[in-house]
Amino acid sequence: REVQASQRSVAIIAEMIHTASLVHDDVIDDANSRRGKMTVNQIWGERKAVLAGDFILSAASVALARIGNTTIISVLTQVIEDLVRGKFLQLGSKENENERFAHYLEKTFKKTASLIANSCKAVSILGCPDPKVHEIAYQYGKNVGIAFQLIDDVLDFTSCADCLGKPTAADLKLGLATGPVLFACRQFPEMNAMIMRRFSKPGDVERARKYVLQSDGVQQTTYLAQRYCHEATREISKLRPSPEREALIQLTEMVLMRDK
């Protein structure tokens, strides 16, 4: 069926929330490039970048209010809360090795997958009264979102800076232990100390990158992303066949195949 105006608005609002979060992330991370271009904070400084992110978020809030549906407002404002909580999770780290992966996946959900999951849920609410469909949409978005971020974390080690549009090994330089690092840690336990000091000593980033590429960390993270995409496909396959359903299934394959 045709996309409703309110559903199109949800897509616009989701992009605005995402963009605002990237502008703020670049300030926190002191990043100098994004998608191959200079970041807002590099061009105009941190103060204006923070205000620019706030402005985009306020415009999204106005657009959200105009939809006039309190359920949709509740669903999409959850995304903003999750983004902030996810950033706080990213700033911390777990001493217990067994807790680290759960911490990483929770951070990944809150920072990336919540936006996709709740956006899918919002458009399903606007298009269909059945709560079962809303849950399918949410689970599809959640699994695609986590897979997307897992592949992003793989590309940080395997893609060139020009392809990626930002510097490679950026997460290590920020002190972040992503999936490839956590898997590599099982083969190279000496990485534990580096993780706890957030790769802050001279040579830590280079050594950690070498360990990751020598291990099966990249492969294991890719396998995990495939499992999440398989689950997303399983969820969306509960809906009746349609060209749109097939497009959503193909999207899971695109998430896995991307190189930038």
Side-chain angles (χ1 to χ4, degrees):
R1 290 178 300 176
E2 284 297 306
V3 175
Q4 298 173 25
S6 56
Q7 289 174 314
R8 189 176 294 278
S9 292
V10 168
I12 293 166
I13 292 159
E15 282 292 356
M16 292 169 84
I17 292 171
H18 183 219
T19 301
S21 76
L22 296 183
V23 172
H24 283 161
D25 268 3
D26 288 341
V27 173
I28 293 168
D29 300 339
D30 196 25
N32 54 25
S33 66
R34 169 75 68 178
R35 294 172 184 162
K37 297 179 181 178
M38 287 177 70
T39 53
V40 178
N41 47 297
Q42 278 291 108
I43 300 170
W44 287 293
E46 287 189 0
R47 291 182 180 181
K48 286 184 178 176
V50 170
L51 290 172
D54 289 347
F55 181 78
I56 297 166
L57 209 51
S58 66
S61 300
V62 171
L64 183 54
R66 282 189 181 135
I67 292 176
N69 183 313
T70 54
T71 306
I72 301 301
I73 291 170
S74 176
V75 168
L76 290 181
T77 49
Q78 182 64 49
V79 172
I80 300 170
E81 180 186 330
D82 284 344
L83 279 167
V84 177
R85 288 182 182 273
K87 195 64 182 179
F88 273 115
L89 284 171
Q90 187 171 291
L91 295 173
S93 53
K94 291 285 184 184
E95 291 210 25
N96 186 321
E97 294 168 40
N98 296 325
E99 292 177 5
R100 268 191 209 138
F101 218 96
H103 182 268
Y104 164 65
L105 288 176
E106 186 184 359
K107 181 274 298 179
T108 297
F109 170 74
K110 283 184 160 46
K111 277 210 74 199
T112 306
S114 173
L115 174 72
I116 302 173
N118 284 296
S119 299
C120 288
K121 183 177 180 179
V123 293
S124 76
I125 290 168
L126 290 166
C128 171
D130 187 352
K132 289 179 183 175
V133 174
H134 308 162
E135 183 60 20
I136 289 167
Y138 179 88
Q139 291 299 331
Y140 170 83
K142 174 185 171 181
N143 283 286
V144 164
I146 293 174
F148 184 92
Q149 187 59 50
L150 289 170
I151 294 298
D152 215 55
D153 295 342
V154 163
L155 292 175
D156 198 42
F157 288 95
T158 61
S159 187
C160 64
D162 287 343
C163 294
L164 209 52
K166 58 185 178 182
T168 53
D171 292 329
L172 287 175
K173 290 167 189 169
L174 291 170
L176 304 177
T178 57
V181 173
L182 296 176
F183 278 119
C185 199
R186 297 173 183 178
Q187 289 168 267
F188 297 97
E190 53 268 47
M191 292 180 74
N192 279 310
M194 286 191 270
I195 290 171
M196 286 316 299
R197 62 176 178 258
R198 297 178 76 87
F199 313 103
S200 58
K201 281 191 177 179
D204 274 359
V205 170
E206 292 75 19
R207 276 177 65 210
R209 191 167 192 275
K210 185 180 78 173
Y211 284 141
V212 168
L213 296 176
Q214 286 176 353
S215 74
D216 65 355
V218 164
Q219 189 180 29
Q220 290 293 335
T221 308
T222 304
Y223 285 156
L224 187 59
Q226 288 170 348
R227 280 167 52 194
Y228 276 103
C229 279
H230 178 75
E231 184 60 23
T233 299
R234 194 182 70 81
E235 285 290 339
I236 209 69
S237 296
K238 293 175 183 176
L239 300 181
R240 68 175 181 271
S242 68
E244 291 79 12
R245 191 189 76 167
E246 290 311 303
L248 290 170
I249 291 170
Q250 285 178 27
L251 184 63
T252 67
E253 295 163 13
M254 290 165 65
V255 164
L256 294 172
M257 298 302 293
R258 71 192 182 94
D259 57 6
K260 60 181 179 178

